[in-house]
Amino acid sequence: MLTSQYTADTICNAMGLPAFVDRGLPLPLLRLLLMPSFEPEVCITLTGPAENACLSVFALTESLWRQPAPCRLSAWNERIEVPASAVAEMYADFAVALAADREATGRMVTLDGMPVEGCRVTSAGVERIACHPYRPDVSAFVSKLIRLAWESCSGAGVRNGLAACARYVGANFPMEALPLPEERSRVLILGTPDNRADLLEQLGRRGEPV
């Protein structure tokens, strides 16, 4: 895939999400996109005020970066309510990470690793961060949100995706055994990208990871 094609919106679209900054979700919105070099991408989202917030995670089953072009991929996903105190902390920690990322530093070159992109959407507007989490405050925010998501979710596919990303910020969570896959047949879809998206949506309704 060309680097110009590999955007936050493209990755979210591959997960079945309409956009990285999704103004159709309840506010405030906090979203973090994890793009590890050697693992599938993961998106963590907190929506709503702290006292009534929900956390959702989408974890691709294969890396979008390794695809020849943008496409829709299957993903494990889970949505769950989380404690108000934890959500309030994450909103505050994002502000700290955002300030740290804006500090002037010397020239930095990063090979591989895990780029992250985050956004906070409120009625006042949108704030975004896009960097490698090498600054301590940014790394702490990323690690803390991954931990909150990993501890809150129960699905092995989602938790394994989070655990794989956690290693890039110095956190270690155990990998879990996935259910044995059912026997499947490979299908060649002839048609437009919309045809592929429609088929994946139908499979999702039948319980397949999408």
Side-chain angles (χ1 to χ4, degrees):
M1 182 179 299
L2 298 175
T3 54
S4 60
Q5 297 175 308
Y6 191 66
T7 66
D9 281 333
T10 300
I11 299 169
C12 287
N13 293 162
M15 298 174 174
L17 302 172
F20 177 62
V21 179
D22 188 350
R23 299 180 184 275
L25 294 175
L27 299 181
L29 161 69
L30 177 63
R31 173 165 282 173
L32 182 66
L33 190 59
L34 308 169
M35 299 165 278
S37 295
F38 305 107
E39 302 290 346
E41 296 84 354
V42 174
C43 182
I44 308 172
T45 306
L46 288 170
T47 56
E51 64 274 10
N52 190 32
C54 285
L55 179 146
S56 67
V57 180
F58 281 76
L60 289 178
T61 59
E62 56 183 312
S63 173
L64 177 65
W65 172 245
R66 298 177 184 272
Q67 307 304 313
C71 61
R72 177 76 159 83
L73 297 173
S74 62
W76 304 102
N77 69 86
E78 191 165 344
R79 186 173 183 272
I80 191 170
E81 293 184 357
V82 286
S85 58
V87 176
E89 285 184 21
M90 294 315 313
Y91 287 155
D93 288 348
F94 178 83
V96 174
L98 184 65
D101 183 55
R102 291 176 175 173
E103 292 179 358
T105 58
R107 183 178 179 182
M108 175 71 67
V109 177
T110 304
L111 300 177
D112 297 326
M114 183 176 68
V116 301
E117 190 155 349
C119 68
R120 179 174 59 184
V121 185
T122 66
S123 57
V126 180
E127 295 176 296
R128 297 182 67 151
I129 183 174
C131 62
H132 280 265
Y134 63 88
R135 293 180 176 87
D137 286 335
V138 178
S139 179
F141 163 72
V142 173
S143 177
K144 191 172 181 178
L145 185 53
I146 292 175
R147 177 178 291 277
L148 173 63
W150 188 87
E151 292 179 345
S152 301
C153 294
S154 59
V158 167
R159 283 162 64 93
N160 286 351
L162 291 164
C165 291
R167 297 170 185 165
Y168 288 81
V169 286
N172 290 293
F173 303 121
M175 302 294 284
E176 302 179 14
L178 292 171
L180 292 176
E182 298 178 0
E183 293 186 5
R184 302 188 183 191
S185 299
R186 292 187 177 273
V187 178
L188 175 63
I189 304 173
L190 299 176
T192 67
D194 288 340
N195 296 141
R196 175 184 171 89
D198 289 342
L199 177 58
L200 289 171
E201 181 179 354
Q202 293 177 36
L203 291 174
R205 292 172 181 170
R206 296 175 56 186
E208 299 289 340
V210 295

